[in-house]
Amino acid sequence: GGVVGALLPKISIGVSFGAILWLFISTISLPVSKLGNNIIFSSGSLLVISLTISIILSQKYLSIANEIRVALAAGLILSTSVDGFLNKGLFFTFYDLFRMRSSSLICTGNCELDLMIAIWVIGALSTFLVRGYVNGTHSRWLTRLHIFQAWSTHLSYSNVQSNSADIIKQKTYSYQSIVSPNYFDLNDVNIPNVLDPYIQSVVPITQRLASRHGFQIGNSCNQWEHAVMLLTNETKVYDRPVIDAAIRIHARLFDNYRHWCDRMGTPPLLLLNKLDSIDYNSVAGSNYQQIDDSVDHLIYIEDIMLYLLIWGEASNLKHCPECVCFLYHKVMEDHINNTNGNSKYPGHFLDMVVTPIYDVIASAMKSGGDHVERKTYDDFNEFFWSPSCLKYSIYVDLFNEDFIEQGSIDNLQLSLGTHVSNAMRVATKTYCEKRSWLHPLFSMRRIFEWHVITFTLLTAWAFSTELQWTYAFTLQVGSFIFWEISFLSIVWTSLEVWTLYPQSAISGPSILGFLIRLLAGYLVFVYQSMYYHWSFRQINIDNKGQTLIDQGDALFWWWQYFWLSVVSLFFYFLESILCYYPKIVSWLLTWNNDVIQAILNICYPLSQLYVGKRVHVEQGYVTKYILFWISLILFKVWFGYRYIVHPVTIPSIELYDDYMNFQKISFVKTFGLMFVWWFPHFLVYLIDLSIWYSVWISAAGGLVSLIERQGAVRDSASFRSHFIRSPLAFAQRLLHDTSSVRQKSSHLSASTAALNELILQPKVSEEKSSPVMKAKPIRAASKAMSSADLQSLNFTAKSSNNKNDKKSGDKTFNEGMTDYLSDVRSQRWIIFSKVWNEIVSNLRAADHLSNFEREILSFSTSNELLLPVYLPIYQTAGCVSTSINLFKDSCNEYSSEAEPEKKIAVIEKFYESMDVTMIEAVSEAWELLTYLLLKILGPSHKADIESLTNSLLTMAKTNDLFGNINPDALPQILNYATNIVSFIKSSATKRKNNPIVTEAVIVAEEKSRKKALAAEKHINNTAFISNGNSSHSKPVSKMKKSVSAGFLPSLGADFSSEVNNKPTNKSKEVTRKFVMPEPIVQSTFVLNDTLRDKLRDEIRNILNQIKGALRGKARAGDLLGKITFILSFESGFFWNDIYASIQLDSLLVQKPETTDRVSKFLTIVNKLNNLLKLRQSDVELSSQEAIRRLNFFINSLFMDIPVSPSIKYCKEYTTMTPYYSEDVILSREDLESKNSDGVSTLLYLQTLYKRDWLNYLERCNIKDEQHVWSDQHIQSTRIWASLRAQTLYRTVDGIMTTEAALRLLAEIENMNKTDIDTYACMKFNYVVACQVYGHMKKTLDPKADDI
């Protein structure tokens, strides 16, 4: 009854008022003593008349009826209270009236009914007057009388007439006529060409609409820029200019408006739907006989611009999206109907439309009290969910002097529509959350009901197992859940009404739905109770076998109960089934059918809401979600039965058995013990779902992470395995789909299994093979030995047999890359290396990395080398030594095998054990070491070194190394090579400005040589050797027998020119005619050069180790002769001190003209040093933040990322970070301030981020920490601390990396700088909105400068 009264307040007030009125009138005019036998008819008729009059009165004059009802009730309480003490017969009168029959009065004293009636009347009148005065209801009633209404009408007319001139004038602000643009100035001739067609279409329409409807100039400027950005960013590759983008934006922008119009029952007011009423001259600027594409897209743009202009003026009304739809609908209605095109002043729309509505919302938001007492944005927005809002006006300037002078008061009243702000002011709240424990119970009602039902079923099954019930009886007991469902449905409906009453407005269909659900549910519940009870009653039979009381068959009543439950719960089960198909639910809720919507409004009141009807997900996700919950529920039910319900059944049976068998045990005690047993178990059954959910969601999350490869990169090992495949993944994910680099790789997978598909044979000939081009196993000739992406980047030196070959030192990067840059695999590595190095540089700038860590993480490149990029040391560290050990083990195993098949198997096993990174590390080490030897030994040994390395490469390609080299020598060779680079690194700084060979040294050596030559001439025999038509004689002394192709061109060379590193011109063709060889003169000049001597020893050791390691047919070849000649060539590096020192000076001594060359050489030496010396444990990063970011980046490349378009066609991205007055950058005072323990903020940060602080000092080259506050470093110190202690600055810094990423991607797409700046501005915008920035500027707050 209380719920029904809440749903029907007017009727309930009328019924209670009629009952009290009937009692009052009956007591006064129908005394029991005079009614006699007609009391039933007379009292009943009077009751019907009273109820009818009261209900009608309450419908029209609710407040009056309520006040009279309260007054009569107060008088009744007063009179009955007096009668209770005096016994004047009032109670007996009521008794007879309710019994509808007369009886003799029984009074203990004098029956004075008239006195009781008088007291009743006096109490009612007093209550009526007092309540009316206190509540002010009497004054409100008086104002509604006709005389006061007429007086108010005249007053309002006079106010309108006196203030009409003020209404149509500018009210709030003074608007400037010229506003500077945000991005693009229309008077600027340098507007990007990509924006020009959009500007030509948008700007004229915007200016016309702004003038016609009175939009602000600043708003119109903002919105045409906004629209131009939208259209430009929406354009796709194959779109028609402007047209297709405008159509898509129009459809997306007005999607909610179309749904809103469908809700309102009115057609959308769009110019596209009103073509017949369009003035094409105003739209397109010329006469059109038909609507072509150009006019179409202008119509779309006009709709878009009108909506955006309204949205821009709406201020905080944007928080009410349906309010914006309402404003657009009304403005477009005026725009279509008002063809005169009168212009309004800028700001008219803000003054006359937005401001009145905003004032209502602002006053409500500023009002005090709890949410129950004030309306919020949601309440105002829901006001526009009702079609009744369309009858209100949005303009307050409908009053004008001409209309007032011509019309009468009555006409004025009929013509003026109520302004929407007034309707919003008196609108009721649509929803009010009640803060009670019943509210969470109602919110969780489905979960609670499910637990109650399943707990009942489990309990029935547990007892049936222990008590050996039949299946039929178990089913009968378990069917009790139907009764529970009906009972709980009544409870839930009552709670739903309780949550809405009395603050929230309830619509008529909702009231009807609640009443039907309550009354029908209660009726079904009563019959279910009777039927279920009767299903357990037995037929009583006497001794003669006859039925004493035929109460029916129990089975019959159970079936009645069952079918009644099934029919009544049809919608309950239907709703449960539809949960598995949410798309059908969305279709039903949005079905534009009056019958269906009426049924839904009655049976499902929430369907009347405007929102939440199209929130379904795809059926595939629903299926996975259901499977997740089914598996969880099955386990929960099993666990609940096994460990919660079943253990309690036996004690419960024993307690019941004691109660039935022992009379001293009371029912209350048994019930208490049962409750103590079962209630905690029921609570555990309620709670354990959250526990199992945590377990299940963890397992499901782990499965999803495995499928989506989340966390695949979690440590250094997984990082390195994914890093080698990252260029391909980067090209597939982040390069646009029209890129040639991406197109040729889109069909390839980035997984390990797909590496074989990436193999591309290099384009060099056999004699140009690199270390990566090792021989393939005989039985697996096509097996990949390396990543094709890197393999395609390997370039080898040309053979010395090619007479037209350039010198290695003269080979430039462009010349070496001519034939390879067209290879998309090479381009992928170049692009990825650029992106990766940029990431590493940003980490170094943030001091998460040290200089050394940046060096080992970065790709390296040099135009002195043959490859465009080289892997980071972090990837290749330790791989050279590991590869040598693997090769050593494989060679030993190879030598121990006698059968050819087993030898082949050993070779295959070796190549399988060599991963891509190891192969590339060996290749880089070989190339860098060859480069280093060529640079150190100089041109005298160039041809011999190249011939030696090519011979070794040929052996590697044909797998001859396995049987023709001693692997035990390889570790020693590695040690000697490591010593070479170590010596060069340690001596580079000292030798940088201190050359060994100076002009004085050269002169002294020349004198010593000449002196030694003169001393030896008298002991040498003279020999003449004919040479062409001319002959000359030269002494022959100590001529070495070993010669080589590299030595022949130098036989006739001038020594002085060789000393000065300027070889004389040689003949292009070497003849077989002999010349007199130059004698070997032993000079007495001694030149001390420690570095030279150390390098001689180490290089000599390397060559001797190679010489000693050769065996078999390799030893029978010319390799031994080449090595012997290199070591014994007197004019070369090992015997000519001047030549050797000059070579080292040219590599290490820095001069203005050699600084760049020396720097590049030292970079290569450092690269080789790290490659040979460092192990993986030496290159692990110390910053967990750097590890996290790098792992995340690499891991994200292998996840499911949508196809990336070109920067030109990607979507725009705008971010705003609002804040009030937080510190953007910590000041020095903030950093030096100390807490109660005497610890400053900076000291705390230095301790917490110790490694980062050392990196910062290293980056700024600060030796003394006191210098961090110097003018040079104070700003960077504040930024360093703010990045670690100031959330706002860290947020801004992180989000701004988006622009840097866009610029980098645009640079990869080969855009010029102008286009990069344009698209960076178009595609990304970031607003840091300081709410008190103006106040900061006025008060000269330092925070304003930080912003």
Side-chain angles (χ1 to χ4, degrees):
V3 177
V4 173
L7 292 173
L8 302 173
K10 292 183 178 180
I11 295 179
S12 62
I13 291 175
V15 170
S16 59
F17 176 42
I20 297 176
L21 183 63
W22 165 75
L23 188 61
F24 178 74
I25 296 175
S26 298
T27 304
I28 294 176
S29 61
L30 298 174
V32 177
S33 61
K34 298 179 181 181
L35 286 176
N37 295 327
N38 295 326
I39 185 172
I40 298 177
F41 174 78
S42 302
S43 182
S45 302
L46 187 59
L47 177 60
V48 174
I49 295 173
S50 299
L51 290 175
T52 303
I53 294 174
S54 301
I55 292 175
I56 295 175
L57 182 64
S58 64
Q59 293 293 326
K60 293 187 177 181
Y61 306 100
L62 179 63
S63 60
I64 296 177
N66 186 49
E67 291 297 326
I68 297 175
R69 182 193 64 153
V70 173
L72 290 175
L76 176 62
I77 294 173
L78 178 62
S79 61
T80 53
S81 300
V82 174
D83 186 70
F85 288 102
L86 302 179
N87 191 16
K88 297 298 183 179
L90 186 61
F91 277 113
F92 298 101
T93 303
F94 292 161
Y95 178 74
D96 288 341
L97 287 174
F98 289 138
R99 293 175 63 230
M100 294 292 180
R101 65 183 64 178
S102 60
S103 62
S104 59
L105 296 176
I106 302 176
C107 299
T108 58
N110 297 326
C111 294
E112 298 178 1
L113 187 60
D114 296 338
L115 177 61
M116 296 297 100
I117 294 175
I119 295 175
W120 190 348
V121 172
I122 293 172
L125 289 175
S126 302
T127 304
F128 182 80
L129 294 175
V130 172
R131 280 179 54 84
Y133 176 78
V134 174
N135 298 335
T137 55
H138 294 170
S139 60
R140 290 197 298 269
W141 294 341
L142 291 176
T143 56
R144 294 180 182 180
L145 297 178
H146 178 71
I147 182 171
F148 291 96
Q149 185 177 4
W151 179 80
S152 300
T153 304
H154 283 284
L155 181 61
S156 61
Y157 169 71
S158 61
N159 290 337
V160 169
Q161 189 174 14
S162 61
N163 297 329
S164 60
D166 297 332
I167 291 177
I168 62 175
K169 291 183 179 180
Q170 185 171 322
K171 293 176 57 179
T172 54
Y173 305 105
S174 176
Y175 303 96
Q176 51 186 347
S177 58
I178 300 177
V179 178
S180 58
N182 296 316
Y183 293 111
F184 309 110
D185 189 356
L186 295 177
N187 299 321
D188 189 359
V189 296
N190 295 323
I191 291 181
N193 296 331
V194 67
L195 302 178
D196 188 63
Y198 306 98
I199 292 177
Q200 298 298 327
S201 302
V202 171
V203 173
I205 294 176
T206 305
Q207 293 174 344
R208 180 167 51 82
L209 290 175
S211 174
R212 184 169 180 176
H213 296 283
F215 296 116
Q216 300 175 77
I217 296 177
N219 177 43
S220 62
C221 182
N222 293 338
Q223 296 311 319
W224 77 252
E225 288 184 349
H226 184 190
V228 168
M229 290 288 193
L230 284 177
L231 292 169
T232 307
N233 292 322
E234 182 65 28
T235 303
K236 298 181 179 178
V237 181
Y238 303 108
D239 281 354
R240 294 172 295 174
V242 184
I243 301 174
D244 295 329
I247 293 174
R248 286 194 297 271
I249 291 178
H250 189 279
R252 188 167 64 247
L253 189 64
F254 289 99
D255 180 66
N256 183 49
Y257 172 70
R258 289 188 175 94
H259 293 316
W260 180 81
C261 289
D262 182 66
R263 165 83 175 198
M264 298 296 106
T266 182
L269 294 182
L270 300 172
L271 289 180
L272 194 64
N273 302 333
K274 303 289 182 180
L275 293 178
D276 296 337
S277 60
I278 295 177
D279 182 6
Y280 297 115
N281 293 326
S282 62
V283 174
S286 60
N287 294 322
Y288 284 87
Q289 300 298 327
Q290 59 183 2
I291 306 299
D292 57 9
D293 286 342
S294 60
V295 177
D296 276 345
H297 88 267
L298 292 177
I299 293 174
Y300 285 113
I301 290 177
E302 186 160 0
D303 284 339
I304 293 171
M305 290 313 305
L306 183 59
Y307 187 90
L308 291 179
L309 288 169
I310 295 172
W311 180 82
E313 298 276 351
S315 183
N316 281 21
L317 303 186
K318 298 185 186 77
H319 299 311
C320 303
E322 280 66 58
C323 178
V324 178
C325 293
F326 170 79
L327 294 178
Y328 173 83
H329 190 81
K330 288 294 183 178
V331 174
M332 180 57 78
E333 187 179 50
D334 176 71
H335 183 68
I336 294 175
N337 297 332
N338 185 14
T339 58
N340 52 20
N342 294 332
S343 61
K344 299 180 177 65
Y345 70 88
H348 176 274
F349 189 82
L350 176 65
D351 292 341
M352 304 304 173
V353 178
V354 176
T355 301
I357 300 176
Y358 174 76
D359 289 340
V360 174
I361 298 178
S363 61
M365 297 300 296
K366 294 178 182 178
S367 63
D370 199 1
H371 72 289
V372 178
E373 303 171 1
R374 64 189 181 97
K375 288 178 284 189
T376 61
Y377 279 102
D378 290 335
D379 297 310
F380 288 114
N381 189 49
E382 292 184 26
F383 170 80
F384 297 98
W385 291 0
S386 173
S388 60
C389 69
L390 294 177
K391 65 183 180 183
Y392 301 116
S393 172
I394 64 172
Y395 294 105
V396 298
D397 59 343
L398 296 177
F399 305 97
N400 57 77
E401 296 178 350
D402 296 335
F403 178 79
I404 294 175
E405 292 176 357
Q406 296 174 2
S408 62
I409 294 177
D410 295 335
N411 291 334
L412 180 64
Q413 288 179 336
L414 294 176
S415 300
L416 293 178
T418 303
H419 192 268
V420 66
S421 61
N422 296 328
M424 293 171 61
R425 185 176 287 106
V426 299
T428 59
K429 287 180 68 68
T430 55
Y431 178 74
C432 179
E433 180 180 2
K434 289 189 175 181
R435 293 171 180 173
S436 170
W437 287 105
L438 294 177
H439 203 285
L441 175 62
F442 174 72
S443 300
M444 305 291 291
R445 62 188 183 277
R446 293 183 179 88
I447 297 177
F448 180 80
E449 182 175 350
W450 182 87
H451 280 83
V452 170
I453 293 173
T454 55
F455 192 80
T456 303
L457 293 174
L458 293 179
T459 303
W461 184 259
F463 277 107
S464 69
T465 303
E466 296 298 330
L467 298 176
Q468 299 298 317
W469 289 349
T470 63
Y471 288 109
F473 187 76
T474 304
L475 180 62
Q476 184 178 1
V477 174
S479 64
F480 182 72
I481 62 173
F482 296 131
W483 186 91
E484 290 179 335
I485 294 173
S486 298
F487 173 75
L488 290 176
S489 65
I490 298 175
V491 175
W492 304 143
T493 305
S494 302
L495 285 178
E496 188 173 359
V497 175
W498 170 80
T499 58
L500 299 175
Y501 181 83
Q503 290 86 357
S504 303
I506 307 177
S507 63
S510 298
I511 294 175
L512 180 59
F514 287 132
L515 289 175
I516 292 176
R517 289 162 59 188
L518 280 173
L519 297 178
Y522 183 74
L523 182 63
V524 170
F525 175 72
V526 170
Y527 276 94
Q528 278 182 320
S529 301
M530 292 188 302
Y531 291 159
Y532 191 73
H533 174 67
W534 292 345
S535 67
F536 287 95
R537 297 174 68 178
Q538 297 180 356
I539 300 176
N540 296 326
I541 302 176
D542 61 5
N543 296 330
K544 298 180 180 181
Q546 296 180 352
T547 302
L548 298 179
I549 302 176
D550 189 1
Q551 298 173 334
D553 185 14
L555 183 61
F556 169 78
W557 293 119
W558 184 84
W559 279 108
Q560 295 295 318
Y561 164 78
F562 176 77
W563 287 116
L564 176 62
S565 302
V566 171
V567 173
S568 62
L569 299 178
F570 170 76
F571 290 104
Y572 181 89
F573 295 120
L574 178 62
E575 183 181 3
S576 301
I577 295 174
L578 288 178
C579 290
Y580 294 87
Y581 305 98
K583 189 174 183 179
I584 298 179
V585 177
S586 299
W587 175 71
L588 287 174
L589 292 176
T590 57
W591 191 359
N592 194 8
N593 184 283
D594 294 338
V595 177
I596 298 298
Q597 292 302 318
I599 296 175
L600 288 174
N601 292 343
I602 293 173
C603 299
Y604 184 58
L606 288 179
S607 64
Q608 300 176 69
L609 296 179
Y610 174 71
V611 296
K613 297 183 179 181
R614 299 177 179 87
V615 293
H616 66 273
V617 297
E618 296 180 3
Q619 190 62 38
Y621 294 108
V622 176
T623 303
K624 296 177 183 177
Y625 182 76
I626 291 173
L627 291 176
F628 169 82
W629 277 105
I630 287 178
S631 61
L632 172 59
I633 288 172
L634 290 177
F635 178 81
K636 173 193 167 47
V637 170
W638 173 83
F639 184 87
Y641 174 80
R642 182 68 178 81
Y643 297 102
I644 298 178
V645 176
H646 187 267
V648 198
T649 55
I650 295 178
S652 301
I653 294 173
E654 293 175 350
L655 286 173
Y656 182 75
D657 183 70
D658 292 341
Y659 169 72
M660 295 299 295
N661 295 320
F662 300 96
Q663 296 180 355
K664 294 182 179 180
I665 298 178
S666 65
F667 173 79
V668 175
K669 181 179 179 180
T670 304
F671 177 80
L673 292 175
M674 289 281 191
F675 180 82
V676 171
W677 269 105
W678 283 94
F679 185 70
H681 287 76
F682 177 70
L683 291 180
V684 173
Y685 186 75
L686 286 175
I687 296 172
D688 72 336
L689 180 63
S690 60
I691 300 175
W692 305 128
Y693 174 78
S694 301
V695 176
W696 245 249
I697 200 65
S698 300
L703 179 61
V704 172
S705 64
L706 290 176
I707 295 174
E708 297 184 355
R709 300 184 61 84
Q710 298 178 8
V713 180
R714 57 194 177 277
D715 51 24
S716 59
S718 57
F719 176 89
R720 290 183 174 92
S721 65
H722 284 77
F723 185 84
I724 203 68
R725 296 172 280 144
S726 295
L728 177 60
F730 180 85
Q732 291 177 331
R733 267 71 172 181
L734 297 180
L735 295 185
H736 60 88
D737 50 1
T738 58
S739 172
S740 59
V741 176
R742 185 186 184 279
Q743 282 180 335
K744 295 186 179 182
S745 63
S746 59
H747 68 283
L748 298 178
S749 172
S751 64
T752 306
L755 285 178
N756 292 339
E757 301 179 25
L758 306 180
I759 295 301
L760 175 69
Q761 297 298 330
K763 301 176 182 179
V764 295
S765 58
E766 182 176 301
E767 61 270 11
K768 305 172 187 176
S769 299
S770 68
V772 180
M773 293 295 297
K774 293 179 174 65
K776 310 297 188 292
I778 298 174
R779 294 185 301 183
S782 61
K783 183 173 178 63
M785 291 297 103
S786 175
S787 167
D789 286 356
L790 283 178
Q791 182 173 318
S792 63
L793 299 178
N794 283 278
F795 311 102
T796 56
K798 296 181 181 293
S799 174
S800 60
N801 297 330
N802 188 350
K803 300 179 179 61
N804 297 325
D805 183 26
K806 293 184 178 182
K807 294 183 179 180
S808 177
D810 297 332
K811 191 179 180 82
T812 64
F813 173 80
N814 291 330
E815 291 171 341
M817 288 293 295
T818 301
D819 298 330
Y820 293 90
L821 280 178
S822 58
D823 187 351
V824 293
R825 292 171 172 82
S826 305
Q827 296 178 33
R828 284 201 297 266
W829 274 99
I830 295 172
I831 291 172
F832 180 75
S833 65
K834 185 173 184 178
V835 174
W836 178 259
N837 286 352
E838 187 68 24
I839 295 173
V840 173
S841 298
N842 288 337
L843 290 175
R844 181 64 188 98
D847 298 311
H848 296 303
L849 299 176
S850 63
N851 291 340
F852 171 73
E853 290 172 333
R854 177 184 59 183
E855 179 182 350
I856 63 176
L857 280 173
S858 301
F859 282 90
S860 56
T861 180
S862 175
N863 56 10
E864 296 287 331
L865 300 175
L866 301 175
L867 300 185
V869 291
Y870 290 80
L871 285 177
I873 296 298
Y874 184 85
Q875 181 72 15
T876 58
C879 291
V880 175
S881 59
T882 304
S883 301
I884 289 177
N885 293 331
L886 289 175
F887 180 75
K888 179 180 176 182
D889 295 339
S890 299
C891 286
N892 294 332
E893 185 178 0
Y894 181 89
S895 301
S896 63
E897 299 292 345
E899 299 179 5
E901 289 294 328
K902 293 185 178 181
K903 291 181 178 291
I904 295 175
V906 170
I907 297 176
E908 291 178 349
K909 180 180 177 182
F910 169 74
Y911 284 121
E912 290 175 356
S913 62
M914 293 284 289
D915 59 19
V916 176
T917 303
M918 295 171 64
I919 294 175
E920 299 306 326
V922 173
S923 174
E924 291 180 5
W926 177 268
E927 182 185 352
L928 295 178
L929 184 58
T930 302
Y931 168 85
L932 185 62
L933 292 177
L934 288 173
K935 285 294 185 181
I936 294 175
L937 299 181
S940 295
H941 299 285
K942 176 178 179 296
D944 298 299
I945 294 295
E946 289 180 348
S947 178
L948 175 63
T949 55
N950 285 336
S951 298
L952 293 176
L953 287 176
T954 303
M955 295 176 62
K957 178 183 176 184
T958 57
N959 291 327
D960 290 338
L961 287 178
F962 284 92
N964 297 293
I965 193 171
N966 181 14
D968 296 332
L970 295 180
Q972 289 297 326
I973 294 175
L974 179 62
N975 291 335
Y976 296 143
T978 305
N979 293 337
I980 291 174
V981 295
S982 299
F983 293 152
I984 295 176
K985 282 193 63 178
S986 60
S987 304
T989 304
K990 181 179 180 181
R991 192 145 183 166
K992 178 172 63 175
N993 299 317
N994 300 293
I996 299 299
V997 180
T998 60
E999 293 294 335
V1001 171
I1002 295 175
V1003 172
E1005 197 280 335
E1006 182 67 19
K1007 291 181 179 179
S1008 176
R1009 189 185 68 84
K1010 290 182 178 179
K1011 183 177 180 181
L1013 179 62
E1016 290 197 14
K1017 279 186 178 180
H1018 69 280
I1019 62 175
N1020 293 329
N1021 297 322
T1022 303
F1024 295 91
I1025 302 176
S1026 176
N1027 184 12
N1029 297 326
S1030 62
S1031 63
H1032 61 278
S1033 62
K1034 287 190 178 182
V1036 179
S1037 177
K1038 301 180 182 178
M1039 180 63 190
K1040 293 289 183 181
K1041 296 181 180 180
S1042 59
V1043 295
S1044 71
F1047 174 64
L1048 291 176
S1050 62
L1051 288 178
D1054 183 19
F1055 182 77
S1056 62
S1057 64
E1058 184 176 328
V1059 171
N1060 290 280
N1061 202 17
K1062 295 179 181 180
T1064 58
N1065 293 332
K1066 306 178 183 70
S1067 174
K1068 293 184 180 180
E1069 183 177 353
V1070 180
T1071 63
R1072 293 186 179 274
K1073 297 178 180 180
F1074 292 95
V1075 296
M1076 177 64 66
E1078 186 177 347
I1080 303 302
V1081 180
Q1082 299 294 331
S1083 175
T1084 61
F1085 181 79
V1086 178
L1087 180 63
N1088 295 323
D1089 189 347
T1090 305
L1091 176 62
R1092 177 200 64 201
D1093 297 339
K1094 290 181 178 180
L1095 294 182
R1096 278 177 174 175
D1097 294 339
E1098 298 302 329
I1099 297 175
R1100 187 180 291 111
N1101 291 336
I1102 289 177
L1103 295 176
N1104 288 330
Q1105 285 291 339
I1106 295 175
K1107 184 177 179 181
L1110 296 176
R1111 61 190 182 188
K1113 63 179 182 180
R1115 195 170 186 86
D1118 60 347
L1119 289 178
L1120 294 178
K1122 294 176 181 177
I1123 296 174
T1124 302
F1125 179 76
I1126 294 174
L1127 293 173
S1128 59
F1129 184 33
E1130 283 79 357
S1131 296
F1133 182 83
F1134 295 97
W1135 299 100
N1136 192 330
D1137 293 346
I1138 296 295
Y1139 173 81
S1141 297
I1142 287 178
Q1143 284 299 119
L1144 296 178
D1145 285 343
S1146 65
L1147 297 176
L1148 299 177
V1149 176
Q1150 292 188 3
K1151 298 179 181 179
E1153 65 277 7
T1154 63
T1155 300
D1156 184 60
R1157 184 182 65 191
V1158 173
S1159 176
K1160 292 179 180 179
F1161 174 76
L1162 293 177
T1163 300
I1164 296 173
V1165 170
N1166 191 49
K1167 167 77 174 179
L1168 182 58
N1169 177 72
N1170 294 333
L1171 185 62
L1172 298 180
K1173 293 178 62 176
L1174 296 180
R1175 302 295 180 263
Q1176 289 189 359
S1177 59
D1178 301 328
V1179 297
E1180 295 298 333
L1181 303 182
S1182 58
S1183 173
Q1184 293 299 320
E1185 179 65 16
I1187 296 174
R1188 184 189 66 82
R1189 295 188 186 185
L1190 294 177
N1191 287 350
F1192 175 81
F1193 171 70
I1194 296 298
N1195 187 81
S1196 64
L1197 296 179
F1198 296 90
M1199 295 174 62
D1200 186 13
I1201 301 176
V1203 176
S1204 176
S1206 172
I1207 293 297
K1208 297 179 180 179
Y1209 304 110
C1210 69
K1211 297 292 185 180
E1212 73 279 5
Y1213 175 44
T1214 302
T1215 305
M1216 183 176 71
T1217 302
Y1219 76 99
Y1220 187 70
S1221 61
E1222 292 85 351
D1223 293 330
V1224 180
I1225 304 178
L1226 297 177
S1227 63
R1228 179 176 181 178
E1229 291 75 15
D1230 296 331
L1231 295 176
E1232 292 183 334
S1233 62
K1234 298 182 179 180
N1235 59 11
S1236 58
D1237 298 328
V1239 178
S1240 65
T1241 304
L1242 183 60
L1243 179 59
Y1244 174 76
L1245 293 175
Q1246 290 173 350
T1247 305
L1248 189 61
Y1249 303 98
K1250 183 177 181 180
R1251 186 69 240 180
D1252 290 2
W1253 177 252
L1254 297 177
N1255 294 340
Y1256 168 70
L1257 297 178
E1258 181 185 27
R1259 176 170 61 89
C1260 297
N1261 197 21
I1262 299 176
K1263 306 300 181 182
D1264 187 357
E1265 291 192 10
Q1266 296 298 325
H1267 293 163
V1268 298
W1269 298 120
S1270 63
D1271 295 339
Q1272 180 182 359
H1273 302 301
I1274 183 172
Q1275 187 69 11
S1276 58
T1277 302
R1278 293 174 60 197
I1279 291 176
W1280 181 90
S1282 300
L1283 276 173
R1284 288 153 181 83
Q1286 227 304 326
T1287 306
L1288 178 61
Y1289 186 84
R1290 186 164 60 248
T1291 301
V1292 174
D1293 181 75
I1295 295 178
M1296 282 307 297
T1297 56
T1298 304
E1299 181 178 351
L1302 286 174
R1303 292 181 177 275
L1304 181 60
L1305 290 175
E1307 187 177 349
I1308 290 175
E1309 294 182 13
N1310 296 324
M1311 291 186 183
N1312 56 48
K1313 189 177 185 305
T1314 303
D1315 290 343
I1316 292 176
D1317 294 337
T1318 301
Y1319 283 104
C1321 176
M1322 289 172 52
K1323 302 300 180 181
F1324 174 73
N1325 290 280
Y1326 183 41
V1327 180
V1328 183
C1330 178
Q1331 302 176 27
V1332 292
Y1333 180 72
H1335 177 72
M1336 290 181 180
K1337 294 290 288 184
K1338 290 180 181 179
T1339 58
L1340 301 179
D1341 194 331
K1343 295 180 181 178
D1345 297 332
D1346 294 338
I1347 297 173

